[in-house]
Structure formats: C-alpha cells, structure tokens
Amino acid sequence: MQEITRRKFIATATVATGFALAVQPISAEVITTNAKGLVAGAVKIPVKDGEIPAYRAAPTTGENFPIVLVIQEIFGVHEHIQDITRRFAKLGYLAIAPELFVRQGDVSKLSSIDQIRPIVAKVPDAQVLSDLDATVDWAVKSAKGNADKLAITGFCWGGRITWLYVAHNPKVKAGVAWYGRLVGDATELQPKYPIDIASKLTVPVLGLYGGKDPSIPLDTVEQMRDRLKSSSSKSEIIVYPDAPHAFFADYRPSYHEKEAKEGWKRLLAWFKQHGV
C-alpha cells in the first residue's frame, strides 16, 4: 500500500510555486529573471519508478543547447532555483532543476528547516544519481539538449551532490559546487562524501566556499584540496574569506553581493573553459 501511495505521489507532484515557506520573509535584494525569449516552466522527467517534476528553462529558438543540471538547496526547487535556471537560459543554455526529494515529501510547504532535515536525510544518494541520469537522458531526447556539452552546478545540499555526480558520470564536462559539504559520516543512504571520491575524480570541478561558513570548516576544505592534487581532474577550490554559508542566495540575509557576482563570473568562465 505504501508503494502505491508513493507512486501516486510521484505522479501528481509538481514543482513549487514561489519561495519555500521555511525561507520567508524574502530579502529585498532578491533577483528576479523574467522568462521573455524563453521556454520556461514545469516538466515531467521519466524515472525508474514513474515520473518526477522538474523546472526547465531554455531559449525559445534554437537546438543542440548545452545542458546545465541545477541542483537544489535543502529547500527544494523553489523560486530561487527556478530563477537560476532562467539566468542560464538567457545565456543560451538548457537548464534543468529536477525535484530530487519528491518521493520523501514536499519540503516547500514546511515552515522550518528543522522539519525539512529529517525528510532530506531519507533521500538516498543512489536515487539522486539515477534521477540525474534520467534528467540528462530527457534533456537530450525531449528538449534539444547536447549530450556532449553537459555541466552541473549545485548549492549547499546540491553542492555535495555536484561532486558526487561528476564522479558517477564522467561524461560531464564541468561542475561548480557552491558550499557543498565535503566531509561527513557515511550512512547506508549516503555512503560517500566528496572527500572520498576526490583523488579519483576526472571531471574538473570548481568549488566555491565561504571562509565564515560554520557548517563547512576550513580544515575540511583544505583536506579536499589536498586529495584533489592526486586526481587528474584539475579541479580548483576558491574560498571567499568574508563570505558566510549560502552567500549566493539573494533571497536570504546570507547573501553577499560581491562574492555572489564574482562566483557567478567564475562559474561561467569555468564552463566556457571546459567547453560547455
């Protein structure tokens, strides 16, 4: 009965409208990108056990678009993540943000991060990686995406996933991880952290981290840098000394405009450098 209910939930789930409840009130500095000249909105991605919702944005005209997977924060694919996909689309990318928590629950309707964490803790890494494979497949077959020009970027929870996905799928050309956790205790559902795959990495990843981020100690960033030296990926990590956690999140008090804009420029240059 539980499986039937879960399948039904997946089939009826949609991407969030507006901002997640847990992040209210929204900062006056929030960036809003319109959809003029874009095809933007919710889509369904076929996966192993049904369909998952996603938000995608792409130019209205053209084809063979470079693909960017945009990986959510703990708050799900709410308005901030959707806006980021539109920013990419304005630059000629097909950007897709799949709802990766959908089987475990709708985090956008929860009022506090303490309610969200237990749901996210139940999300298996294997499920996430499989869903991202399916998203890439959909992008190529159904949305005019170019399989040879694939990139990924993620924020916070999605930052960790960015590192893990490029290790899982070496066809990715480049990744950019924003303040994703690097070290942690392995569990059955989350058996590896970025530090565990760093030395074998082949895909170039740019890590963007805050020097004043209490959730990601700088000694773990240095451990990651050290492990990356023995890889062939030519990955790099940039630390912004005065930036806190979530410094790119323009809808939250943590936003640091200078570092956010600098990081975005670095991301675009990194993608271009590696052919995306």
PDB file of all heavy atoms in Angstrom, residues 120-145:
ATOM      1  N   VAL A 120      15.042  15.214   4.125  1.00  0.00           N
ATOM      2  CA  VAL A 120      16.209  15.179   3.237  1.00  0.00           C
ATOM      3  C   VAL A 120      17.159  14.046   3.635  1.00  0.00           C
ATOM      4  O   VAL A 120      17.789  13.418   2.777  1.00  0.00           O
ATOM      5  CB  VAL A 120      16.927  16.543   3.247  1.00  0.00           C
ATOM      6  CG1 VAL A 120      18.183  16.501   2.394  1.00  0.00           C
ATOM      7  CG2 VAL A 120      15.991  17.633   2.736  1.00  0.00           C
ATOM      8  N   ALA A 121      17.231  13.749   4.933  1.00  0.00           N
ATOM      9  CA  ALA A 121      18.102  12.671   5.416  1.00  0.00           C
ATOM     10  C   ALA A 121      17.677  11.307   4.882  1.00  0.00           C
ATOM     11  O   ALA A 121      18.473  10.367   4.858  1.00  0.00           O
ATOM     12  CB  ALA A 121      18.109  12.654   6.937  1.00  0.00           C
ATOM     13  N   LYS A 122      16.442  11.195   4.427  1.00  0.00           N
ATOM     14  CA  LYS A 122      15.919   9.918   3.909  1.00  0.00           C
ATOM     15  C   LYS A 122      16.138   9.763   2.403  1.00  0.00           C
ATOM     16  O   LYS A 122      15.747   8.751   1.819  1.00  0.00           O
ATOM     17  CB  LYS A 122      14.421   9.815   4.208  1.00  0.00           C
ATOM     18  CG  LYS A 122      14.078   9.771   5.691  1.00  0.00           C
ATOM     19  CD  LYS A 122      12.570   9.781   5.899  1.00  0.00           C
ATOM     20  CE  LYS A 122      12.220   9.846   7.382  1.00  0.00           C
ATOM     21  NZ  LYS A 122      10.744   9.958   7.579  1.00  0.00           N
ATOM     22  N   VAL A 123      16.748  10.751   1.783  1.00  0.00           N
ATOM     23  CA  VAL A 123      16.943  10.715   0.329  1.00  0.00           C
ATOM     24  C   VAL A 123      18.225   9.945   0.000  1.00  0.00           C
ATOM     25  O   VAL A 123      19.320  10.400   0.316  1.00  0.00           O
ATOM     26  CB  VAL A 123      17.026  12.142  -0.253  1.00  0.00           C
ATOM     27  CG1 VAL A 123      17.222  12.091  -1.762  1.00  0.00           C
ATOM     28  CG2 VAL A 123      15.782  12.948   0.102  1.00  0.00           C
ATOM     29  N   PRO A 124      18.122   8.781  -0.630  1.00  0.00           N
ATOM     30  CA  PRO A 124      19.329   8.000  -0.950  1.00  0.00           C
ATOM     31  C   PRO A 124      20.137   8.638  -2.076  1.00  0.00           C
ATOM     32  O   PRO A 124      19.578   9.081  -3.079  1.00  0.00           O
ATOM     33  CB  PRO A 124      18.774   6.641  -1.399  1.00  0.00           C
ATOM     34  CG  PRO A 124      17.318   6.635  -1.039  1.00  0.00           C
ATOM     35  CD  PRO A 124      16.890   8.073  -1.039  1.00  0.00           C
ATOM     36  N   ASP A 125      21.443   8.642  -1.910  1.00  0.00           N
ATOM     37  CA  ASP A 125      22.310   9.151  -2.978  1.00  0.00           C
ATOM     38  C   ASP A 125      22.095   8.380  -4.283  1.00  0.00           C
ATOM     39  O   ASP A 125      22.098   8.967  -5.368  1.00  0.00           O
ATOM     40  CB  ASP A 125      23.782   9.047  -2.573  1.00  0.00           C
ATOM     41  CG  ASP A 125      24.184  10.057  -1.517  1.00  0.00           C
ATOM     42  OD1 ASP A 125      23.432  11.033  -1.302  1.00  0.00           O
ATOM     43  OD2 ASP A 125      25.254   9.876  -0.906  1.00  0.00           O
ATOM     44  N   ALA A 126      21.905   7.075  -4.187  1.00  0.00           N
ATOM     45  CA  ALA A 126      21.725   6.261  -5.390  1.00  0.00           C
ATOM     46  C   ALA A 126      20.483   6.707  -6.169  1.00  0.00           C
ATOM     47  O   ALA A 126      20.488   6.746  -7.402  1.00  0.00           O
ATOM     48  CB  ALA A 126      21.605   4.788  -5.011  1.00  0.00           C
ATOM     49  N   GLN A 127      19.425   7.052  -5.457  1.00  0.00           N
ATOM     50  CA  GLN A 127      18.208   7.565  -6.094  1.00  0.00           C
ATOM     51  C   GLN A 127      18.484   8.879  -6.813  1.00  0.00           C
ATOM     52  O   GLN A 127      18.055   9.086  -7.956  1.00  0.00           O
ATOM     53  CB  GLN A 127      17.136   7.782  -5.031  1.00  0.00           C
ATOM     54  CG  GLN A 127      15.893   8.517  -5.495  1.00  0.00           C
ATOM     55  CD  GLN A 127      15.014   8.930  -4.320  1.00  0.00           C
ATOM     56  OE1 GLN A 127      14.451   8.085  -3.640  1.00  0.00           O
ATOM     57  NE2 GLN A 127      14.912  10.242  -4.074  1.00  0.00           N
ATOM     58  N   VAL A 128      19.218   9.758  -6.154  1.00  0.00           N
ATOM     59  CA  VAL A 128      19.538  11.071  -6.731  1.00  0.00           C
ATOM     60  C   VAL A 128      20.355  10.918  -8.010  1.00  0.00           C
ATOM     61  O   VAL A 128      20.049  11.537  -9.042  1.00  0.00           O
ATOM     62  CB  VAL A 128      20.297  11.936  -5.703  1.00  0.00           C
ATOM     63  CG1 VAL A 128      20.813  13.218  -6.347  1.00  0.00           C
ATOM     64  CG2 VAL A 128      19.406  12.267  -4.523  1.00  0.00           C
ATOM     65  N   LEU A 129      21.389  10.091  -7.960  1.00  0.00           N
ATOM     66  CA  LEU A 129      22.254   9.915  -9.126  1.00  0.00           C
ATOM     67  C   LEU A 129      21.478   9.303 -10.291  1.00  0.00           C
ATOM     68  O   LEU A 129      21.655   9.693 -11.450  1.00  0.00           O
ATOM     69  CB  LEU A 129      23.460   9.045  -8.757  1.00  0.00           C
ATOM     70  CG  LEU A 129      24.363   9.595  -7.646  1.00  0.00           C
ATOM     71  CD1 LEU A 129      25.491   8.615  -7.342  1.00  0.00           C
ATOM     72  CD2 LEU A 129      24.924  10.962  -7.991  1.00  0.00           C
ATOM     73  N   SER A 130      20.596   8.356  -9.988  1.00  0.00           N
ATOM     74  CA  SER A 130      19.761   7.745 -11.025  1.00  0.00           C
ATOM     75  C   SER A 130      18.804   8.769 -11.635  1.00  0.00           C
ATOM     76  O   SER A 130      18.611   8.813 -12.853  1.00  0.00           O
ATOM     77  CB  SER A 130      18.974   6.577 -10.424  1.00  0.00           C
ATOM     78  OG  SER A 130      18.089   6.026 -11.369  1.00  0.00           O
ATOM     79  N   ASP A 131      18.200   9.611 -10.781  1.00  0.00           N
ATOM     80  CA  ASP A 131      17.290  10.648 -11.279  1.00  0.00           C
ATOM     81  C   ASP A 131      18.020  11.649 -12.166  1.00  0.00           C
ATOM     82  O   ASP A 131      17.469  12.138 -13.162  1.00  0.00           O
ATOM     83  CB  ASP A 131      16.636  11.390 -10.107  1.00  0.00           C
ATOM     84  CG  ASP A 131      15.524  10.578  -9.439  1.00  0.00           C
ATOM     85  OD1 ASP A 131      15.159   9.504  -9.954  1.00  0.00           O
ATOM     86  OD2 ASP A 131      15.030  11.033  -8.385  1.00  0.00           O
ATOM     87  N   LEU A 132      19.254  11.958 -11.815  1.00  0.00           N
ATOM     88  CA  LEU A 132      20.022  12.900 -12.634  1.00  0.00           C
ATOM     89  C   LEU A 132      20.396  12.277 -13.981  1.00  0.00           C
ATOM     90  O   LEU A 132      20.373  12.956 -15.014  1.00  0.00           O
ATOM     91  CB  LEU A 132      21.265  13.381 -11.883  1.00  0.00           C
ATOM     92  CG  LEU A 132      20.976  14.287 -10.682  1.00  0.00           C
ATOM     93  CD1 LEU A 132      22.259  14.614  -9.935  1.00  0.00           C
ATOM     94  CD2 LEU A 132      20.281  15.568 -11.120  1.00  0.00           C
ATOM     95  N   ASP A 133      20.703  10.988 -13.979  1.00  0.00           N
ATOM     96  CA  ASP A 133      20.933  10.294 -15.255  1.00  0.00           C
ATOM     97  C   ASP A 133      19.691  10.392 -16.139  1.00  0.00           C
ATOM     98  O   ASP A 133      19.781  10.655 -17.349  1.00  0.00           O
ATOM     99  CB  ASP A 133      21.253   8.818 -15.009  1.00  0.00           C
ATOM    100  CG  ASP A 133      22.651   8.591 -14.471  1.00  0.00           C
ATOM    101  OD1 ASP A 133      23.498   9.502 -14.575  1.00  0.00           O
ATOM    102  OD2 ASP A 133      22.903   7.486 -13.946  1.00  0.00           O
ATOM    103  N   ALA A 134      18.527  10.175 -15.531  1.00  0.00           N
ATOM    104  CA  ALA A 134      17.267  10.237 -16.276  1.00  0.00           C
ATOM    105  C   ALA A 134      16.997  11.646 -16.785  1.00  0.00           C
ATOM    106  O   ALA A 134      16.451  11.834 -17.890  1.00  0.00           O
ATOM    107  CB  ALA A 134      16.119   9.768 -15.380  1.00  0.00           C
ATOM    108  N   THR A 135      17.382  12.646 -16.005  1.00  0.00           N
ATOM    109  CA  THR A 135      17.191  14.041 -16.405  1.00  0.00           C
ATOM    110  C   THR A 135      18.050  14.379 -17.615  1.00  0.00           C
ATOM    111  O   THR A 135      17.595  15.049 -18.554  1.00  0.00           O
ATOM    112  CB  THR A 135      17.523  14.986 -15.233  1.00  0.00           C
ATOM    113  OG1 THR A 135      16.677  14.665 -14.114  1.00  0.00           O
ATOM    114  CG2 THR A 135      17.310  16.439 -15.621  1.00  0.00           C
ATOM    115  N   VAL A 136      19.286  13.904 -17.613  1.00  0.00           N
ATOM    116  CA  VAL A 136      20.166  14.119 -18.764  1.00  0.00           C
ATOM    117  C   VAL A 136      19.576  13.443 -20.000  1.00  0.00           C
ATOM    118  O   VAL A 136      19.542  14.020 -21.099  1.00  0.00           O
ATOM    119  CB  VAL A 136      21.588  13.582 -18.479  1.00  0.00           C
ATOM    120  CG1 VAL A 136      22.452  13.665 -19.740  1.00  0.00           C
ATOM    121  CG2 VAL A 136      22.242  14.356 -17.342  1.00  0.00           C
ATOM    122  N   ASP A 137      19.098  12.230 -19.834  1.00  0.00           N
ATOM    123  CA  ASP A 137      18.503  11.483 -20.941  1.00  0.00           C
ATOM    124  C   ASP A 137      17.304  12.241 -21.517  1.00  0.00           C
ATOM    125  O   ASP A 137      17.160  12.356 -22.738  1.00  0.00           O
ATOM    126  CB  ASP A 137      18.065  10.102 -20.438  1.00  0.00           C
ATOM    127  CG  ASP A 137      17.702   9.165 -21.577  1.00  0.00           C
ATOM    128  OD1 ASP A 137      18.485   9.064 -22.531  1.00  0.00           O
ATOM    129  OD2 ASP A 137      16.620   8.550 -21.523  1.00  0.00           O
ATOM    130  N   TRP A 138      16.463  12.767 -20.634  1.00  0.00           N
ATOM    131  CA  TRP A 138      15.305  13.550 -21.075  1.00  0.00           C
ATOM    132  C   TRP A 138      15.747  14.818 -21.810  1.00  0.00           C
ATOM    133  O   TRP A 138      15.173  15.183 -22.842  1.00  0.00           O
ATOM    134  CB  TRP A 138      14.437  13.926 -19.874  1.00  0.00           C
ATOM    135  CG  TRP A 138      13.252  14.764 -20.236  1.00  0.00           C
ATOM    136  CD1 TRP A 138      12.009  14.323 -20.607  1.00  0.00           C
ATOM    137  CD2 TRP A 138      13.184  16.200 -20.272  1.00  0.00           C
ATOM    138  NE1 TRP A 138      11.177  15.390 -20.875  1.00  0.00           N
ATOM    139  CE2 TRP A 138      11.878  16.550 -20.687  1.00  0.00           C
ATOM    140  CE3 TRP A 138      14.099  17.218 -19.999  1.00  0.00           C
ATOM    141  CZ2 TRP A 138      11.469  17.879 -20.828  1.00  0.00           C
ATOM    142  CZ3 TRP A 138      13.696  18.535 -20.155  1.00  0.00           C
ATOM    143  CH2 TRP A 138      12.395  18.865 -20.556  1.00  0.00           C
ATOM    144  N   ALA A 139      16.763  15.471 -21.290  1.00  0.00           N
ATOM    145  CA  ALA A 139      17.241  16.717 -21.901  1.00  0.00           C
ATOM    146  C   ALA A 139      17.690  16.505 -23.336  1.00  0.00           C
ATOM    147  O   ALA A 139      17.449  17.343 -24.209  1.00  0.00           O
ATOM    148  CB  ALA A 139      18.387  17.295 -21.069  1.00  0.00           C
ATOM    149  N   VAL A 140      18.334  15.382 -23.578  1.00  0.00           N
ATOM    150  CA  VAL A 140      18.844  15.086 -24.913  1.00  0.00           C
ATOM    151  C   VAL A 140      17.709  14.658 -25.853  1.00  0.00           C
ATOM    152  O   VAL A 140      17.606  15.128 -26.987  1.00  0.00           O
ATOM    153  CB  VAL A 140      19.929  13.994 -24.841  1.00  0.00           C
ATOM    154  CG1 VAL A 140      20.372  13.577 -26.233  1.00  0.00           C
ATOM    155  CG2 VAL A 140      21.126  14.487 -24.030  1.00  0.00           C
ATOM    156  N   LYS A 141      16.828  13.773 -25.368  1.00  0.00           N
ATOM    157  CA  LYS A 141      15.795  13.193 -26.233  1.00  0.00           C
ATOM    158  C   LYS A 141      14.573  14.094 -26.425  1.00  0.00           C
ATOM    159  O   LYS A 141      13.924  14.053 -27.464  1.00  0.00           O
ATOM    160  CB  LYS A 141      15.341  11.852 -25.650  1.00  0.00           C
ATOM    161  CG  LYS A 141      16.401  10.771 -25.714  1.00  0.00           C
ATOM    162  CD  LYS A 141      15.895   9.479 -25.098  1.00  0.00           C
ATOM    163  CE  LYS A 141      16.938   8.375 -25.186  1.00  0.00           C
ATOM    164  NZ  LYS A 141      16.465   7.120 -24.523  1.00  0.00           N
ATOM    165  N   SER A 142      14.254  14.899 -25.411  1.00  0.00           N
ATOM    166  CA  SER A 142      12.987  15.640 -25.435  1.00  0.00           C
ATOM    167  C   SER A 142      13.118  17.153 -25.403  1.00  0.00           C
ATOM    168  O   SER A 142      12.123  17.854 -25.533  1.00  0.00           O
ATOM    169  CB  SER A 142      12.117  15.195 -24.256  1.00  0.00           C
ATOM    170  OG  SER A 142      11.926  13.805 -24.258  1.00  0.00           O
ATOM    171  N   ALA A 143      14.319  17.685 -25.201  1.00  0.00           N
ATOM    172  CA  ALA A 143      14.436  19.130 -25.020  1.00  0.00           C
ATOM    173  C   ALA A 143      15.585  19.765 -25.798  1.00  0.00           C
ATOM    174  O   ALA A 143      16.072  20.831 -25.427  1.00  0.00           O
ATOM    175  CB  ALA A 143      14.585  19.450 -23.529  1.00  0.00           C
ATOM    176  N   LYS A 144      16.051  19.076 -26.857  1.00  0.00           N
ATOM    177  CA  LYS A 144      17.067  19.647 -27.750  1.00  0.00           C
ATOM    178  C   LYS A 144      18.401  19.914 -27.061  1.00  0.00           C
ATOM    179  O   LYS A 144      19.119  20.850 -27.403  1.00  0.00           O
ATOM    180  CB  LYS A 144      16.549  20.944 -28.385  1.00  0.00           C
ATOM    181  CG  LYS A 144      15.254  20.791 -29.167  1.00  0.00           C
ATOM    182  CD  LYS A 144      14.783  22.130 -29.706  1.00  0.00           C
ATOM    183  CE  LYS A 144      13.467  22.018 -30.456  1.00  0.00           C
ATOM    184  NZ  LYS A 144      12.976  23.336 -30.920  1.00  0.00           N
ATOM    185  N   GLY A 145      18.724  19.095 -26.069  1.00  0.00           N
ATOM    186  CA  GLY A 145      19.990  19.253 -25.364  1.00  0.00           C
ATOM    187  C   GLY A 145      21.131  18.516 -26.057  1.00  0.00           C
ATOM    188  O   GLY A 145      20.927  17.522 -26.743  1.00  0.00           O
TER     189      GLY A 145
END
